[in-house]
Amino acid sequence: MTLLPPAMPVALLSVQDDSKAQALAEIDPARPIADEMAGQALSMFGREDLIAATSDDYKPTGCPPVAGAGGVIETIVQRARATSVVIVNESHERSEHRGFAARVARALRPLGYDTLAMETLSNPTSDQFVPPYRIRPNQPFLEDLDGYYLSEAGFGRLGRQAKALGYHLLAYEEPFSPTTPKLSPEESITRREIAQAEQLATYIAAHPEAKLLVYVGYSHATEVPRANGQKWMATRLKAMTGIDPLTVSQTTCRGGGRRERLAVLPADQPVGTFDLIVDHPSARFVRGRPAWRRVAGDRSVSIPKALRPARGWRIVEARPVGESEASVPMDRVAIRPGEVVALLLPPGRYQLKVLDVPAVAHPDGTE
């Protein structure tokens, strides 16, 4: 493992046009979870360890296992043979879900699955902004501007693997428009779910031989109407196309055992909500970083003392040597003074980049 020092001195991160950076800047390093909205921002910058004790997405649920179930990936592959659409959901706060999705993508490729549709991919309505993945489709990495959640290193790695495997990347999110009328929360959900399903259905109609792996957040993978009658994307896509998708939830059950396993759908969920429930073990952290990545082959690499901050948040990034700084790095982590936090990287040679996050004044007068 080789780490090359930053090519330039520590730079001050600009938050003016970067909502993710702004979200981190607004988090008090001394009280990082005081703001209930901090969870996704801290996860985006590699600090799931700071939110795991309080986030609902990490709390064990007590779901019983499916009796006699085989391996999780093997079961998904077996069930995927009977359809052409597999929908997997994630928590936006758990990078492990992205690592699991990467494993699913690899396992499904030999079955002919060739399109990876990701909710997070930028899907603009005008030509004023064209995301990099469309301009440079053959580059082996994604860029921060390709999508909001893609800036998290685990999501970036999912994109890298999908590209290496030859998947076509498909955006299907409802395009943002400033002229969209103001709607109630329920009306907004309905509008968004219809728009997502319509875009996927249009692609399927134009590419009848395609097989899709669709990666979504939370309830978008719900395959039947909710008790209140709400129809999420998967329900609508099924009705529009006549295709019965294989729906896989990673957000319903958690903390059930020492290994990932298939769990029973909780009794308070409508029958058929998801086809398969994946129950991941409770999250563990070593030197501030998720242990699952070490199990997957990453090595813990110490951040040199000279690069650790004296105050505030500092972001440390590691990219393969020679790769553009526009790429989503192989690892990106926010650290605070006095912390011994590791980078997590597969073997290789990496160029470091260091960015300081500007302090934001807090109500108590601190920065």
Side-chain angles (χ1 to χ4, degrees):
M1 185 77 68
T2 302
L3 297 182
L4 300 185
M8 300 178 61
V10 177
L12 187 66
L13 180 66
S14 173
V15 301
Q16 183 175 0
D17 299 318
D18 188 333
S19 59
K20 297 180 286 288
Q22 180 66 40
L24 180 61
E26 292 176 353
I27 296 172
D28 184 351
R31 298 181 300 124
I33 58 173
D35 182 351
E36 64 179 14
M37 300 301 292
Q40 287 188 9
L42 289 169
S43 177
M44 290 284 291
F45 288 95
R47 297 308 304 273
E48 296 165 83
D49 61 308
L50 298 178
I51 66 174
T54 57
S55 169
D56 287 342
D57 288 2
Y58 286 82
K59 292 179 181 178
T61 55
C63 296
V66 174
V72 175
I73 296 293
E74 292 78 10
T75 301
I76 291 173
V77 169
Q78 180 182 9
R79 298 282 294 272
R81 297 181 188 277
T83 184
S84 59
V85 177
V86 175
I87 303 175
V88 180
N89 78 355
E90 72 154 21
S91 157
H92 296 323
E93 295 185 358
R94 295 196 64 160
S95 65
E96 183 175 15
H97 291 178
R98 291 146 191 180
F100 179 81
R103 291 166 55 204
V104 173
R106 181 174 294 279
L108 293 184
R109 193 68 183 93
L111 273 62
Y113 282 81
D114 54 8
T115 301
L116 176 59
M118 295 193 288
E119 176 187 306
T120 189
L121 282 172
S122 295
N123 195 23
T125 56
S126 72
D127 294 332
Q128 293 181 349
F129 168 69
V130 180
Y133 75 91
R134 291 182 179 171
I135 299 173
R136 296 177 287 277
N138 294 325
Q139 67 183 7
F141 51 78
L142 291 168
E143 301 185 23
D144 286 328
L145 292 176
D146 281 328
Y148 186 85
Y149 295 109
L150 286 171
S151 292
E152 189 274 317
F155 221 141
R157 292 200 200 182
L158 169 58
R160 287 174 185 267
Q161 177 171 289
K163 282 174 165 285
L165 290 171
Y167 275 94
H168 167 68
L169 300 184
L170 175 65
Y172 68 92
E173 180 59 278
E174 177 189 20
F176 169 77
S177 172
T179 62
T180 299
K182 290 189 176 181
L183 304 172
S184 69
E186 293 77 14
E187 291 171 330
S188 295
I189 290 174
T190 297
R191 178 189 178 98
R192 184 184 182 195
E193 303 310 300
I194 291 174
Q196 289 186 346
E198 285 180 342
Q199 293 198 63
L200 288 170
T202 297
Y203 180 84
I204 290 170
H207 304 83
E209 301 302 318
K211 291 190 173 185
L212 279 67
L213 171 57
V214 186
Y215 194 53
V216 309
Y218 301 102
S219 295
H220 298 292
T222 302
E223 192 174 339
V224 299
R226 290 291 195 182
N228 63 1
Q230 178 64 57
K231 297 178 182 179
W232 293 82
M233 183 277 290
T235 305
R236 296 178 183 278
L237 181 64
K238 184 176 180 178
M240 290 178 186
T241 64
I243 298 171
D244 184 7
L246 172 63
T247 51
V248 182
S249 174
Q250 299 187 84
T251 62
T252 305
C253 299
R254 65 196 72 88
R258 295 183 178 181
R259 294 185 174 183
E260 68 187 21
R261 65 186 189 182
L262 293 174
V264 176
L265 182 73
D268 62 352
Q269 302 255 5
V271 175
T273 298
F274 306 106
D275 292 314
L276 298 173
I277 308 295
V278 180
D279 185 340
H280 291 288
S282 294
R284 296 186 302 107
F285 301 92
V286 179
R287 298 173 66 186
R289 308 305 306 283
W292 76 264
R293 281 178 52 178
R294 297 180 68 183
V295 174
D298 279 1
R299 296 180 183 176
S300 292
V301 185
S302 296
I303 296 173
K305 289 184 179 180
L307 298 182
R308 299 174 193 173
R311 64 194 300 267
W313 291 107
R314 175 171 286 179
I315 299 170
V316 181
E317 302 176 341
R319 293 178 175 83
V321 170
E323 189 167 283
S324 166
E325 286 193 0
S327 71
V328 178
M330 290 295 285
D331 199 14
R332 169 184 275 146
V333 63
I335 59 177
R336 302 173 293 171
E339 290 187 315
V340 181
V341 176
L343 290 166
L344 287 174
L345 297 164
R349 300 178 69 245
Y350 298 92
Q351 178 73 59
L352 297 181
K353 183 177 180 179
V354 179
L355 296 162
D356 275 347
V357 180
V360 172
H362 297 281
D364 61 1
T366 62
E367 290 186 347

